[in-house]
Amino acid sequence: MITEASTSLDTDARALEQFTSESARDLASLPSKADRTVAQAAVADGVHHAARRLRARFLDRHAGEVYDALTGGRTRRPRISELVLSAADRFPGLVPSAAELAAESSLAQQEKEGREIDQGLFFRHVLRHPAAGRHLVESMLLPTERALALLPDFRASGTLALGTVRLERRDGIAHVTIANTHCLNAEDNELTADLETAVDLVLLDDSTHVGVLRGDVMTHPRYAGRRVFSAGINLKHLHGGKISFVDFLLGRELGFISKLVRGVHTEAGLGQRIEKPWVAGVDTFAIGGGMQLLLVLDHVVAAADSYLSLPAAQEGIVPGLANLRLTRAVGSRVARQIVLGGRKVWASEPDARLLVDEVADPRGMDAAVDRAADVLASPAVAPNRRMLNHADEPVDQFREYVAEFALTQALRLYSADVLGKVARFSA
């Protein structure tokens, strides 16, 4: 056991490994989660809670040392998915192993043990550590390998298809079109990865001065022929256990959304970042994660018949970093109405002007978006938006918020009310 007197990383790591190995044997002696009795479920909960208390004590004492061990004294810059897997290898029992995650990958959310909570606990402590947390935030601003591989083609052709996202550069404006059309542009693991690649390419492309984000025309029968910005998180995927905590729920905040705010680091050195202004065109609705994106973009054009909403409290989860950013935009009272009460804000109502810059006739959206992009193409816009963002959301404020978000969201993913709600939605 990790005692108050013990201070050695290796000694405490061995104690953690021994205790969590015993915990794993206790869990293995029980039926699978879906087949447990009430009493057996209570035993499993007790095993998990005891192990998490020990993990938290270990990380309270050693988070900085753990991070340095995993990054070569902060000389390497792994992405969060690589970091957490290397943590499982270097410090057994601290976070779930690749084998444990693979064993649960095909299970529905309510059938899983909740091992992602241990990942949330890990990232909470790493991000709370000032030096380690800042290093991690900066590391996640590096371009993805996929984007670097695709960059020459995009620079040459100005067009690219990424599965759920399309890119097209026209007159120095890169149009990023969300094309997850079968599910109203709902967010899932694939879309999050494609959006990060697209954001990287826009920022790295020398011929692009402004990025535009807009939803595609839908194939979904209810909205066929209409553009939709985003329906938020794919609840069917959440219920089916297909939403990754690390790659989606945490990765989108530290990855492409952070890059929208802060830009990308160039390979030449982390002291240089490439930042560009962004325009959003909102058609029909921006729900959940879609509305979260609007809070970090520089100019939002909304169709007069569209609305915005953050139904995360009704879904039982936390709406990304909206709780950090929304109050800044609309004030505390309206933020609570939107987040806690599920209020929809229609583009036509006065409060919408706190969230969008321009309300356009739906038939004139193309022209309004193009005009906004042309205005933001001025060379002085990028440095000024950098200073505005620095004032609005300093890196340490962002880091400390994401630290608390990491564990809170992981816990919500496995709470009884969330599992019940997504099950009913799926049915």
Side-chain angles (χ1 to χ4, degrees), residues 61-74:
R61 184 175 294 165
H62 299 298
E65 294 173 271
V66 167
Y67 189 80
D68 284 352
L70 299 175
T71 61
R74 285 173 260 152

Side-chain angles (χ1 to χ4, degrees), residues 1 6 32 43-44 54 97 110 120 172 195 198 204 223 285 299 317 341 388 403 419-420:
M1 182 65 70
S6 177
S32 64
V43 170
L54 194 64
S97 66
Q110 62 264 48
L195 279 171
L204 293 170
Y223 293 93
F285 49 69
H299 191 96
I317 58 177
L388 286 167
L419 298 177

Side-chain angles (χ1 to χ4, degrees), residues 21-45:
S21 294
E22 294 169 359
S23 299
R25 287 194 292 271
D26 291 341
L27 286 174
S29 69
L30 298 170
S32 64
K33 185 177 178 181
D35 298 325
R36 289 171 191 161
T37 65
V38 173
Q40 289 169 334
V43 170
D45 287 344

